[in-house]
Amino acid sequence: MNDTVNSSPDTLTIARPDDWHLHLRDGETLQAVIGASARDFSRALIMPNLVPPVTTAAQARAYRERIHQALKGSGVSTAFTPMMTLYLTETTDPADVVQAVKNGDALAVKLYPAGATTNSDSGVRDIERVMPVLEAMAEHDIVLCVHGEVTTHEVDIFDREARFIETVLAPLRRRLPSLRITLEHITTAEGVTAVREGGGALAGSITPHHLMINRNHMLVGGIRPHYYCLPILKREHHREALVAAATGGERYFFLGTDSAPHPRGAKESDCGCAGVFNAGNTLSCLAHVFEQAGALGQLEGFTSHNGAHWYRQQPASDTLTLVKSNTPRTQDLMVRVGDDEIVPFDPGVPLYWQVA
Ligand code: NCD
Ligand code: ZN
């Protein structure tokens, strides 16, 4: 089914997109990056990996309030709704989670395996210790968002997602088949297969960068730190599997940008941070990917319907229009923060689609 309101070769109007995985940070970085998301998106699911992490309803409310303040200072006039997540720790109280979701302080809970990624030290070491929380979530139909990588030292970084699916996700699904799980920012063919076989209890979010580049783009001809993110870019055949999933009109796949700003100095470093800042050109990138796949008609499902449906929200009632021009977009998306700057995602190809 193609719900696109208006489609011609050069313009595309879709329900305003949602971003179901976004890092906004805090303080001056939050103020600097919020506009990039608020301009194009209706809602975003905000990741809780601040320092210290957002673990309680009170912290989520306070963080949401800081986001609202930053929005006021951003000059963006369209409505943007941050939806909060709680960071799951081994001391999270099941009753607190249920209450926070009931009160509307959070929409979902985020599981980071300890040490998996940026600011994940407070994450889960032993899944056994969070089973009471997960059981309560299953009972109350609260979605668990998962960073799906094992962190065991011996496991190769390129195998960590597939290994997680096999050794953590599969047993968890057998134990709690009714728990709805978002396998976030999937990067592998195994991730795609797991979601397809998930029987409606699994969904997968996909980033624009994993749809556009593979590990060669990051490592051949010089190392490109701004492409370094977690889960790490994989081989081309995995990228192709992700494109097929995103563009194929399958309702359990949807957009989560994983836009993750770090200052240039922290990326271009002896030990560079993981994260790609893509919020400002996500829609241009996706229109390019979907057009290349001959699937522009499926873009709206991926950006604006599927995720909303999964999180039991109505799709946005307003729209966003993309226009294809004859010349590539040249907009400067660099963001200044203090003495440093945040480098936007460079897809490596000219982008002709722009948000009108
Ligand atoms: C994210 C960040 O910087 O917070 N980094 C990333 O590479 N995606 C954390 C995450 O989502 O893994
Ligand atoms: Zn992330």
Side-chain angles (χ1 to χ4, degrees):
M1 185 179 66
N2 180 357
D3 286 337
T4 303
V5 179
N6 160 32
S7 170
S8 70
D10 300 331
T11 73
L12 182 66
T13 296
I14 56 177
R16 188 169 284 277
D18 298 313
D19 179 354
W20 295 105
H21 181 125
L22 175 63
H23 301 270
L24 283 177
R25 315 304 191 201
D26 213 342
E28 60 177 352
T29 305
L30 166 61
Q31 186 63 66
V33 301
I34 182 87
S37 291
R39 268 188 286 280
D40 294 347
F41 293 94
S42 172
R43 294 166 288 211
L45 190 62
I46 311 299
M47 289 300 115
N49 62 332
L50 303 183
V51 187
V54 178
T55 57
T56 66
Q59 286 170 327
R61 275 198 307 273
Y63 185 28
R64 181 167 56 195
E65 182 50 32
R66 296 197 295 283
I67 296 169
H68 282 304
Q69 289 305 323
L71 271 170
K72 279 188 198 149
S74 73
V76 176
S77 56
T78 43
F80 174 76
T81 307
M83 310 190 94
M84 310 312 286
T85 53
L86 294 180
Y87 188 120
L88 180 62
T89 74
E90 293 186 357
T91 57
T92 301
D93 181 341
D96 288 351
V97 166
V98 172
Q99 197 58 46
V101 173
K102 266 208 182 110
N103 293 348
D105 294 328
L107 181 68
V109 173
K110 177 70 189 251
L111 185 159
Y112 290 99
T117 187
T118 311
N119 302 337
S120 60
D121 297 346
S122 316
V124 174
R125 287 188 165 71
D126 178 3
I127 194 125
E128 221 39 63
R129 302 186 67 127
V130 296
M131 281 313 288
V133 181
L134 302 185
E135 281 158 11
M137 289 170 62
E139 189 187 331
H140 293 271
D141 193 31
I142 299 168
V143 173
L144 178 71
C145 296
V146 169
H147 183 112
E149 290 191 286
V150 295
T151 55
T152 340
H153 182 69
E154 315 78 73
V155 179
D156 189 277
I157 187 167
F158 293 101
D159 300 333
R160 288 180 170 200
E161 180 172 299
R163 191 67 71 85
F164 181 91
I165 290 166
E166 201 182 295
T167 63
V168 182
L169 186 66
L172 176 60
R173 299 253 308 119
R174 283 193 292 273
R175 260 176 97 171
L176 274 179
S178 65
L179 177 65
R180 292 195 304 130
I181 300 174
T182 311
L183 199 49
E184 298 209 280
H185 42 51
I186 54 172
T187 62
T188 58
E190 288 87 342
V192 169
T193 302
V195 170
R196 284 194 182 132
E197 293 175 352
L202 272 189
S205 66
I206 305 180
T207 79
H209 42 291
H210 287 98
L211 291 172
M212 296 193 83
I213 54 178
N214 63 37
R215 65 193 199 180
N216 277 17
H217 294 92
M218 177 175 60
L219 295 171
V220 172
I223 186 161
R224 290 180 180 72
H226 296 284
Y227 287 162
Y228 175 61
C229 61
L230 289 168
I232 199 158
L233 294 163
K234 305 293 194 303
R235 287 176 180 274
E236 175 63 7
H237 82 86
H238 292 295
R239 190 193 68 83
E240 287 166 0
L242 296 172
V243 170
T247 62
E250 300 173 63
R251 71 192 259 199
Y252 291 103
F253 296 101
F254 48 79
L255 172 63
T257 65
D258 197 13
S259 186
H262 292 277
R264 182 192 283 276
K267 299 268 314 160
E268 300 173 8
S269 144
D270 287 349
C271 185
C273 293
V276 171
F277 175 55
N278 60 21
N281 60 1
T282 283
L283 275 310
S284 296
C285 287
L286 291 177
H288 175 88
V289 169
F290 278 66
E291 183 177 50
Q292 292 282 303
L296 268 179
Q298 304 292 354
L299 181 67
E300 183 178 44
F302 182 71
T303 60
S304 318
H305 290 170
N306 299 350
H309 183 263
W310 171 251
Y311 285 105
R312 311 235 195 272
Q313 308 292 314
Q314 291 298 321
S317 52
D318 59 335
T319 58
L320 172 137
T321 297
L322 283 150
V323 179
K324 189 178 182 185
S325 60
N326 295 322
T327 50
R329 90 175 253 171
T330 53
Q331 204 181 331
D332 180 11
L333 298 168
M334 194 75 72
V335 166
R336 295 228 49 99
V337 184
D339 298 338
D340 212 329
E341 59 187 5
I342 297 165
V343 179
F345 174 53
D346 171 8
V349 292
L351 297 175
Y352 293 91
W353 288 93
Q354 305 210 34
V355 175

